[in-house]
Structure formats: C-alpha cells, structure tokens
Amino acid sequence: MSTLFINACIRPQSRTLKLAKELLVKLEKETGAPAEVLNLEKENITPLTVEQLHKRDNALENGDFSDPYFRYAKQFAEADIIVMAVPYWDLSFPALVKLYFEATSVCGITFRYTPEGYPQGLCKAKKFYYVTTSGGFIGDLDFGFQYAKALTTKLYGIPETECIRKEGLDIVAAK
Ligand SMILES: Cc1cc2nc3c(=O)[nH]c(=O)nc-3n(C[C@H](O)[C@H](O)[C@H](O)COP(=O)(O)O)c2cc1C
C-alpha cells in the first residue's frame, strides 16, 4: 500500500504539517511503508498555458502520456492512500493547491469521460485525507475541503474522503 503525502504548508512552524505528521505516523504503522512526499512549494507548478492544453489534447488523442508534464497526474492516480496538508486560507486553500489540482486533472490519467459524457474516475486510491488548521472557526465555510472532496470523489473516483481539522488556533482567548 503506497501513501502519497502532498504538503501545501509553507510556514516553517506550520501547525497543519504537525497535524498531518500525526496521521502519517499512524498510516505508516498500518501500511508498513513511509509516505512518498510531494512538497508543493518546491515544485514550481505554473498555471496552465495554451501549449499545455495542446499537450493534453495530443496525449489523449495518441494515448501517449510519457511527457514529464504528466508526472503529477500519474503519481496521484497511482497512490493507494492520499494525504494532503492544507492550511485554511481566505475561506479556502492556498492558490498553490489549485495549481496542483490543475496539473492532476488530466483526462486519460486521473479520470476519463464515458461515451455518454459522464466523468469516470481512474484513480487507484481508496481514501483521500484532507488535513487542515485554521486561525478562526471554519463552520460551514469549508470551501477548500468541499472542493477537494467534490474533485476527488466525483471526478477522480476516490470513494472515501475524510477531513481532519483543528480550528481557532489564532484566537487569543482560546490559547
Ligand atoms: C494568507 C492567510 C489567509 C488566512 N485566512 C484565514 C481565514 O480565512 N480564516 C481563518 O480562520 N484563518 C485564516 N488564516 C489563519 C490560518 O488558517 C491559521 O493560522 C492556520 O493554522 C495556518 O496554518 P499553518 O500553521 O499550517 O501555516 C489565514 C492565514 C494566512 C497566512
């Protein structure tokens, strides 16, 4: 069982990363293997360009996804368990996470469309964990997790999603 850990925490003293590490220790005991780590800050993922859109169309047409551009989508599609550590920013997640999802949402790798036009997930993972912390209280304004949940279940076909969150960490009276 392989675990992919996607780290979107940029602060050196990140509380989200600390929380995610507790989960990773537990998963390593269960699976017997450490997670493969993808540190998004170090990846330099850029917004989609028109050249990359053409690259995607050509790859889908030729069935050839060997270009290194597709490495994030392939890595995501292959993992058995996926853990994402994401701080709660501006009611959602850091833009870095959207760039990453743009890179993983490749028709022909993480999902495909049926002849009737319905998306069909192609990811192996049985479970997607979304770990987050927030300064205030998220309540029902959890747009980051709700988006990640919709994408991973409805498009990528990952059956189970869990959000692990710690809230109110920047509230002075709560410290
Ligand atoms: C750019 C930015 C935006 C933030 N937006 C929110 C917000 O909308 N609501 C909230 O409760 N906290 C917000 N926070 C506070 C963080 O959610 C909180 O400090 C969190 O624990 C940071 O995670 P980290 O310690 O892993 O970096 C924001 C922090 C930053 C730096």
Side-chain angles (χ1 to χ4, degrees):
M1 289 270 272
S2 67
T3 303
L4 173 63
F5 174 51
I6 304 147
N7 181 13
C9 306
I10 62 163
R11 295 193 319 125
Q13 67 279 40
S14 167
R15 281 95 48 112
T16 315
L17 182 58
K18 193 164 165 255
L19 187 61
K21 279 184 176 167
E22 290 172 22
L23 172 65
L24 290 171
V25 168
K26 195 174 137 259
L27 290 175
E28 185 171 340
K29 278 189 193 140
E30 282 170 20
T31 62
E36 182 182 356
V37 180
L38 183 69
N39 198 339
L40 292 190
E41 202 198 1
K42 296 206 172 116
E43 293 299 317
N44 193 25
I45 305 174
T46 51
L48 265 173
T49 61
V50 75
E51 287 78 19
Q52 286 167 338
L53 286 178
H54 288 146
K55 200 176 268 199
R56 286 170 177 236
D57 292 343
N58 291 340
L60 186 62
E61 210 173 295
N62 307 327
D64 177 5
F65 292 98
S66 56
D67 191 287
Y69 169 75
F70 298 108
R71 66 192 179 284
Y72 299 116
K74 284 183 188 167
Q75 184 185 42
F76 196 97
E78 279 305 304
D80 295 308
I81 301 169
I82 299 171
V83 177
M84 206 169 197
V86 189
Y88 184 68
W89 280 13
D90 307 324
L91 312 185
S92 176
F93 46 56
L96 198 52
V97 174
K98 184 67 173 80
L99 291 176
Y100 176 68
F101 279 141
E102 223 167 62
T104 55
S105 299
V106 178
C107 186
I109 301 181
T110 44
F111 68 97
R112 67 176 164 220
Y113 286 105
T114 64
E116 296 77 29
Y118 295 107
Q120 193 175 52
L122 296 176
C123 290
K124 256 173 74 182
K126 294 281 166 282
K127 185 151 183 181
F128 175 80
Y129 291 93
Y130 187 95
V131 182
T132 195
T133 67
S134 61
F137 294 102
I138 298 173
D140 55 3
L141 300 176
D142 57 345
F143 300 111
F145 171 61
Q146 290 304 328
Y147 173 78
K149 182 180 176 180
L151 192 73
T152 54
T153 56
K154 306 283 183 210
L155 198 62
Y156 298 169
I158 301 174
E160 206 183 333
T161 312
E162 185 177 337
C163 181
I164 297 172
R165 68 192 201 190
K166 265 194 181 171
E167 301 174 62
L169 300 189
D170 296 335
I171 297 173
V172 176
K175 283 186 180 165

